[in-house]
Amino acid sequence: MTETVARDPGRQELPIPPDLIAALVARAARAPSVHNTQPWRFRATPQWLELRADHARDLPQTDPARREELISCGAALYGLRLAIREIGYRPAVRLLPDPARPGLLALVRLGAAAPATADELRLLAALPRRHTHRGAFSSVPVPASLLAGLQRDAAAEGAALVTIAEPARYQQLADLVAAADQAQHRDVAIRREVRRWTRPRGSPARDGVPGYAFPRQRQPAAGHLAQRDFDLGRGLGMLGGRGGRPAATAVLITAADDPADWLRAGQALHRLLLRAASHWVFASLHTQPLESPGFRDEIQARLALPGNPQMLLQFGHSHTAAATARRPAADVLD
Ligand SMILES: Cc1cc2nc3c(=O)[nH]c(=O)nc-3n(C[C@H](O)[C@H](O)[C@H](O)COP(=O)(O)O)c2cc1C
């Protein structure tokens, strides 16, 4: 599925039929987002479906540059592109189309008609079970061929997935994640923000991170990077022990570090997470150190990364897939 940029006036491009928009947006909204803030808004004009960030959902303490907000919106954009493939069209996308309107992240229309490929149908089938995995992994290995496939996905979206296999490099990363996690734990404003975006058992909220998706225990098990503390000692976390080591650790990087790169990183993230989920492989995500410029620079330097780190991931196999709630399309559509 290639992203097409609408420059050729002769190329056939159509607005998305109004009766399909809500269903396509609902597909897009299955994307991962920082703290499940779902920080996206869609607006249908006669010509285009517009994507913007929803600034009412900013995280000023955790994400002051809105890097993670744009990664989240990029992930939703990938979901929308894939949903357009499902209805038999190539998506026509203009990323950041108007420098005078930086809030307008993307314009999307239907491109040429073309049935979804078998590969795209596999990714679509994995959409309902793709989730951020904060529980134990099973001991089923993750094949090297799958990791290579995830790297191809990242490259196809203009990013790169660097695996951290050597024990010494892994330990350096684990130490930095743990140190960043400790620093966040001491930060009252960051803790307040996490509290605002976590949900207790039985909450009817359709955003935020629910207790069934995170553990109470905050000590990482061997081989696991430190997890963000969503529980904050409140006893909300309902996930069981962490057991079973992840099979692979990786960093998603981009060549530059501007809003277009963040949107590319988000599209790459969603695409590779869906490919992994199509094999019942899921990822835990660890962005605490990337939220501090100092730790982020140190990760890039110490791991000698050939680009800017955007996401830290650990992959493993699991037989369970608890999806979290999303707001209905009507809530994110103007
Ligand atoms: C930019 C970004 C940063 C994230 N950072 C973390 C993180 O540090 N720790 C974590 O457990 N999950 C993290 N997540 C995962 C989100 O919490 C998750 O996507 C959201 O709660 C929705 O749940 P789902 O992925 O299971 O659908 C991040 C997701 C995104 C897109």
Side-chain angles (χ1 to χ4, degrees), residues 8-273:
D8 175 2
R11 166 184 247 138
Q12 191 200 1
E13 282 173 9
L14 305 167
I16 300 175
D19 58 326
L20 292 181
I21 287 175
L24 294 173
V25 165
R27 288 296 228 181
R30 285 304 319 156
S33 62
V34 58
H35 291 9
N36 200 14
T37 48
Q38 303 166 41
W40 39 70
R41 286 214 74 82
F42 295 88
R43 190 166 83 98
T45 70
Q47 289 81 32
W48 297 96
L49 187 59
E50 300 178 345
L51 169 64
R52 287 186 171 71
D54 180 348
H55 293 309
R57 292 170 170 266
D58 289 352
L59 299 174
Q61 302 300 326
T62 313
D63 185 32
R66 303 203 183 104
R67 185 183 63 84
E68 294 184 73
E69 184 173 272
L70 261 62
I71 292 178
S72 306
C73 288
L77 177 59
Y78 180 75
L80 179 64
R81 287 169 48 203
L82 195 59
I84 288 174
R85 296 295 297 121
E86 188 177 25
I87 60 166
Y89 291 89
R90 293 193 191 286
V93 179
R94 291 187 189 181
L95 211 57
L96 295 168
D98 183 354
R101 291 189 294 163
L104 182 56
L105 303 180
L107 294 174
V108 184
R109 284 161 70 98
L110 304 184
T117 64
D119 186 57
E120 288 162 345
L121 290 174
R122 266 192 298 277
L123 301 187
L124 280 157
L127 199 66
R129 68 169 174 270
R130 200 271 330 138
H131 70 287
T132 303
H133 197 82
R134 302 186 190 86
F137 289 112
S138 81
S139 56
V140 177
V142 171
S145 58
L146 174 58
L147 285 175
L150 306 185
Q151 289 176 319
R152 280 194 296 275
D153 283 326
E157 298 296 335
L161 188 70
V162 179
T163 52
I164 307 296
E166 306 80 6
R169 280 180 100 206
Y170 174 80
Q171 199 50 54
Q172 282 189 319
L173 178 63
D175 291 346
L176 287 167
V177 177
D181 186 64
Q182 289 296 335
Q184 288 204 344
H185 208 252
R186 288 190 296 269
D187 187 320
V188 175
I190 288 204
R191 286 168 66 100
R192 196 178 302 128
E193 217 160 61
V194 170
R195 208 171 292 130
R196 181 174 161 225
W197 286 101
T198 40
R199 308 286 178 238
R201 180 195 301 246
S203 164
R206 302 191 65 79
D207 58 8
V209 188
Y212 62 79
F214 59 83
R216 186 176 304 193
Q217 172 63 264
R218 98 178 207 91
Q219 268 324 310
H224 292 258
L225 297 175
Q227 288 224 20
R228 194 190 294 278
D229 182 10
F230 288 111
D231 190 83
L232 298 172
R234 293 171 296 170
L236 300 183
M238 292 155 63
L239 264 190
R242 299 230 52 221
R245 279 170 177 262
T249 300
V251 188
L252 184 67
I253 63 170
T254 52
D257 196 30
D258 57 27
D261 289 282
W262 303 338
L263 290 168
R264 281 187 204 107
Q267 293 175 84
L269 175 72
H270 199 185
R271 176 167 169 168
L272 69 87
L273 289 176

